[in-house]
Amino acid sequence: MTKRMWMALISLAGLFLGAYLTLYKFGVIGTLACNVGSCEQVQTSRWSVFLGVPVATWGLGFYLLMLTLAIAGLQPRFVDSRRLSLTMLLLAGWGVLFTAWLNYLEAYVIHAWCEWCLGSAGMVLVLFVLALMDWRETPEPESDAA
Amino acid sequence: MVKASKKASTSNRAFYLIIALIAIGGIAALTYASTRPNAVVNASPVDTTLPKVASQGYVMGSPTAPLEVTEFGDFECPACGRFSVITEPDVRKNFVDAGKVRWRFIDYPLPMHRNTWQASRAAACADEQGKFWPFHDLLYQNQDRWNGEATTDPDKVMKEYGRQLGLNSDQFNKCVDSKKYQAKIQAHLVLAEQRKVQSTPTFVIGDQQVASALPYDDIAKLITDALAKAGPAATGGDTAKPVTVGGAAKKAK
């Protein structure tokens, strides 16, 4: 399993997590499964929407994009693409910053934790580490085959 | 080139198989989560030894409706807010307005919500001027603007809502400032505790009690089942002698 494969698998899991929370946000799922913390308090707070779109939906979009990039990165044409590695690294870095902001809100503003959000935070962090390793291992541009 | 060949030599077929399995599993889990009948799973028979609900709270609908549904709710509870905004309009339209259900709301202010007592008291003040339900709806629609995370002066927001609804401001503001209905809300709280309500929203529908922000299909089924059980001759709901639960049994904010 390459790092990009792991990234694709994690992104797919994150995609379903984002879809689950998005469906809840749109009222399709009545009650969130939540054994630890206060998922509903977090998911229905005013910070659960960013620029008019539910944060969960932003997450879904993030994971979908990351999944697409990771799978594209497995194709022979892009397998050694440093540009693609850099794109994934920047995307994952943005994800880490966004997640850090959400975790700050949970800890100091909402005063409640959502286990699904924490799970997503863990996945984003792992994605970032994998993206960083992938970027460092991918050959410099001058060695790219045209 | 070595790294490239190493990456390329990885078994893509096995990888795509795993991806496909996760995708199928994920879709199945989402389908299950979005279609599972929560209400039926969580509903439990009402303990008939508990105090009857009558002449308490706020009532909407025909006094002769064959069924009474009681909601124990907290104005600051997000799940109650979601139910009120998403589900309740359809319940009102299809059951309350149709004369099939009489809907009773009883405050159950939860201790972790900082501004819920102020909201309940203000709603009682609105009731004084015949505007409980519009105020109820306004509170839930704007929950994130007055809750404990949004403001430390909820009474100010309540007074603004009173103005929005065209209430007599002098009367309403005085009512809010004097905490006129504190005892009434405490009575509701005591009643909820006597009924062994543990979370909000909790609904009593016929002989079933369910603690969940039910989606429409689930609550509609419970109501329809209760109506079928009640039959045409039913007088509906709890019609026992009103429970006297006055006085402050629990320290409130």
Side-chain angles (χ1 to χ4, degrees), chain A residues 21-131:
Chain A
L21 295 179
T22 297
L23 289 174
Y24 168 79
K25 197 70 186 165
F26 287 110
V28 178
I29 290 173
T31 309
L32 278 182
C34 190
N35 299 314
V36 182
S38 308
C39 301
E40 293 195 345
Q41 191 176 342
V42 174
Q43 292 299 326
T44 54
S45 75
R46 68 160 138 167
W47 292 277
S48 65
V49 175
F50 180 68
L51 298 178
V53 176
V55 168
T57 312
W58 284 103
L60 192 153
F62 167 82
Y63 286 117
L64 182 63
L65 189 55
M66 187 63 90
L67 176 65
T68 307
L69 290 173
I71 287 184
L74 297 173
Q75 310 311 310
R77 185 178 170 191
F78 297 111
V79 79
D80 282 330
S81 168
R82 192 167 169 82
R83 187 175 293 174
L84 190 128
S85 278
L86 183 62
T87 305
M88 289 196 294
L89 180 62
L90 291 174
L91 182 63
W94 178 83
V96 168
L97 292 176
F98 192 70
T99 301
W101 176 64
L102 293 176
N103 286 351
Y104 162 79
L105 289 174
E106 286 182 77
Y108 297 105
V109 181
I110 306 173
H111 303 292
W113 293 97
C114 165
E115 65 188 40
W116 297 103
C117 310
L118 293 176
S120 177
M123 288 196 285
V124 168
L125 201 59
V126 173
L127 280 175
F128 177 74
V129 172
L130 287 169

Side-chain angles (χ1 to χ4, degrees), chain B residues 168-243:
Chain B
N168 179 318
S169 288
D170 287 344
Q171 183 186 341
F172 182 75
N173 295 353
K174 201 177 288 179
C175 177
V176 168
D177 289 337
S178 66
K179 301 184 179 177
K180 184 175 177 181
Y181 290 104
Q182 178 78 4
K184 178 178 182 171
I185 309 306
Q186 284 169 332
H188 290 173
L189 175 70
V190 171
L191 180 64
E193 287 175 342
Q194 285 176 337
R195 302 276 312 192
K196 299 182 181 174
V197 174
Q198 294 178 330
S199 63
T200 56
T202 288
F203 301 96
V204 179
I205 304 167
D207 61 358
Q208 297 290 304
Q209 183 159 319
V210 55
S212 174
L214 298 169
Y216 178 76
D217 288 348
D218 292 345
I219 196 165
K221 183 176 187 313
L222 284 169
I223 290 173
T224 306
D225 290 350
L227 283 168
K229 273 188 198 172
T235 52
D238 297 316
T239 53
K241 188 181 173 186
V243 179

Side-chain angles (χ1 to χ4, degrees), chain B residues 147-169:
Chain B
N147 64 17
E149 297 151 19
T151 179
T152 54
D153 187 8
D155 281 348
K156 186 180 171 187
V157 186
M158 298 303 140
K159 290 171 186 174
E160 174 55 34
Y161 290 165
R163 270 192 295 277
Q164 279 184 35
L165 291 176
L167 299 178
N168 179 318
S169 288

